Amino acid sequence: MGKTKLSAVVKELRKEYGLTQEELAMKAGVGLCFVRNLEQGKASLRMDKVNQLLDLFNFELSPTKKQRTDETSRDL
């Protein structure tokens, strides 16, 4: 598992609010394993659970257009 922007943001917010992973899990209503997987950058997580956790910090997942070069762009 590689670190992602999402995992870095969640970890940074958790530390900013002085929460342990266990405290964050309890406050968000998710499992400790979920918080650990999220912060470690696990590639497959339930989006509803991610948003449930992010809601504590007034954040949410949303679609974002990728930056692509001409070589990687595709026509649909």
Side-chain angles (χ1 to χ4, degrees):
M1 284 184 258
K3 297 288 182 184
T4 63
K5 185 174 181 179
L6 176 62
S7 63
V9 167
V10 169
K11 187 172 186 176
E12 182 180 317
L13 286 167
R14 178 179 60 78
K15 289 185 175 194
E16 182 179 318
Y17 282 82
L19 299 170
T20 64
Q21 288 180 332
E22 188 173 60
E23 291 168 334
L24 177 56
M26 288 179 62
K27 287 182 181 291
V30 298
L32 177 57
C33 186
F34 177 83
V35 172
R36 287 181 178 159
N37 286 337
L38 177 57
E39 287 192 6
Q40 291 173 1
K42 183 176 179 185
S44 59
L45 294 168
R46 286 184 42 187
M47 287 180 21
D48 62 328
K49 293 285 189 185
V50 173
N51 275 325
Q52 184 176 333
L53 184 143
L54 289 174
D55 189 53
L56 287 174
F57 305 113
N58 202 30
F59 279 77
E60 68 179 6
L61 285 177
S62 61
T64 306
K65 183 121 176 135
K66 283 185 170 183
Q67 296 287 332
R68 294 186 184 252
T69 64
D70 288 337
E71 293 175 10
T72 58
S73 64
R74 302 183 265 176
D75 292 325
L76 295 177

